[in-house]
Amino acid sequence: MTDDDLSALIQQHASRYRADSALRAAVRTRVALEAAAMPDHPMAPPGNTATKASGHTHGRGFTAHALGPTSARPHPAFSWNSALAGLVLGLALSATGLWVWQQPPAQETLGQALIARHVQALGPGPLLAVVSSEHHTVKPWFQGRLDFSPPVPDLADQGFTLRGARVDRLDTRAVAALVYQRRQHQIEVFIEPSPRNLAPQAWQQRGFELRRWTDGGMQIALISDLNASELDLFVSQWRARQAGHAMAPPS
Amino acid sequence: MPSLTQRFETDILPCLDAGYNLARWLLREDASAEDVLQDACLRALRHLDQRQGADARPWFLRIVRHCAYSHLQARAGHPLLLGLNEDELDAAQERWQRSQAEPDSHGALDPAQPLHERQCRDTVNAALRSLPPFLREVLVLRELEGLDYAEIALIAGLPMGTVMSRLSRARARMRQMLAPASAPDAPKGRTTP
């Protein structure tokens, strides 16, 4: 058998393993999470400057840094401090003066924060501080934990089961996080007081569906891997339920 | 300037298949290969700003290979258990030959008369799997990813001459396994002490 015959045999018959869509999704999620924890700017936070300062002189773009011991961060846990530093730095660099404080948070920035919180929440550790499908249990649970009372609509009859809630942080603000479920898909809803009135926004970021709107002095932002049409149903049911509450107080 | 994640999507995502293929062939099972690919992606992301050159694939495959060996080493507990020595190599090959010792059509593969596709695939895969990693990887990169000697040398961190000699050793082993019956040109005397 010549080398060519052997090559043909291997090329024709040996398995070529491919990264399937689940693996690709996992990679993109972890990369999004990791990227949310590190600023994109040339000016890195203290921890990163050493790596960034060196490594530009190696041939062919290979650097020793990329090949250092892998045990350094075998399971890169999300670091909220560095994410926070990254977001704050990003805001500070991308806007000048007070302008940024007068604008609603950029969709993309909010999206990054939501994705980071969502992915972290789905990881190891408790997703929920209070586990209950009863909105009468979940809503009072926030008393004493937040300085506002978030809406907790019951959408079970529409196929959206309430799973529970927790107090979370977005940027520096304490927010209420509710988790609903439809089939295998989680919907995470982040609620915080907001004096503004925003037109409802819908967008996609890194494969997640995101929505944001304001109602009754609250900003509601949600993230899910549910498909867009079912998520829009969730939003419309939520808003209808809230509007109903506003007009006719529950008996 | 594109963000890091944008650069990751344009530079690295197109290399995911190649990266997974290398990891999967080195680790020889799915779950570890997936872990290795994810670790490699995160390392690539962290060092993407240092990457130069047009083609991201060798750069990324070098990181994948590094992660794969770290994983193998952690699993084996000791580098010697990676099958990097000759005794281990010969023992593995003898095991393989015993497993293929059933008479008749299973042993020999004549490219002119291909066996059933599935049988061919199993036989070639089993032969490739039985090679030690340092020979397996050069064949995978050369034959399945179509990389040239210089690229393989960069990925494996070896001189080009070493790549060529490993390729020829890997091919010789494959030939012995795939064509024991119909190989008049196969080197004789391999079994002599």
Side-chain angles (χ1 to χ4, degrees), chain A residues 27-40 48 51-52 66 73 76 206, chain B residues 2-13 16 37-51 59-60 63 67:
Chain A
V27 163
R28 296 181 73 168
T29 302
R30 287 188 68 182
V31 163
L33 177 57
E34 181 79 7
M38 60 199 255
D40 290 349
N48 279 3
T51 10
K52 302 227 173 192
R73 291 180 73 182
R206 309 211 157 270
Chain B
S3 74
L4 266 187
T5 43
Q6 283 165 341
R7 283 193 64 189
F8 184 88
E9 305 226 332
T10 53
D11 292 4
I12 305 301
L13 278 188
L16 279 195
L37 186 71
Q38 294 195 31
D39 285 349
C41 285
L42 293 180
R43 294 177 80 77
L45 177 75
R46 285 184 220 123
H47 299 282
L48 205 50
D49 55 346
Q50 297 152 20
R51 192 183 83 72
W59 182 83
F60 180 59
I63 297 176
C67 291

Side-chain angles (χ1 to χ4, degrees), chain A residues 7 15 17 30 67-68 206, chain B residues 5 21 38 43 66 125 143:
Chain A
S7 290
S15 295
Y17 298 100
R30 287 188 68 182
L67 301 169
R206 309 211 157 270
Chain B
T5 43
N21 193 38
Q38 294 195 31
R43 294 177 80 77
H66 176 81
N125 279 350
E143 305 293 6

Side-chain angles (χ1 to χ4, degrees), chain A residues 167-179:
Chain A
V167 172
D168 208 324
R169 281 185 183 278
L170 270 185
D171 208 342
T172 55
R173 307 165 322 260
V175 300
L178 306 179
V179 177

Side-chain angles (χ1 to χ4, degrees), chain A residues 215-216 236-249:
Chain A
D215 253 345
S236 65
Q237 290 301 322
W238 176 298
R239 301 196 70 182
R241 216 52 67 98
Q242 290 308 109
H245 271 271
M247 281 184 290

Side-chain angles (χ1 to χ4, degrees), chain A residues 103-166:
Chain A
Q103 297 290 319
Q107 215 175 49
E108 173 111 3
T109 310
L110 174 70
Q112 278 179 10
L114 289 179
I115 290 170
R117 299 307 297 149
H118 181 60
V119 172
Q120 190 196 15
L122 295 181
L127 170 68
L128 303 165
V130 52
V131 181
S132 170
S133 60
E134 272 298 316
H135 66 123
H136 295 301
T137 305
V138 171
K139 189 171 168 67
W141 178 85
F142 284 109
Q143 278 178 16
R145 293 182 168 87
L146 289 171
D147 60 357
F148 61 96
S149 177
V152 185
D154 180 4
L155 300 169
D157 56 346
Q158 301 293 328
F160 299 100
T161 314
L162 180 62
R163 290 196 52 215
R166 67 178 187 276

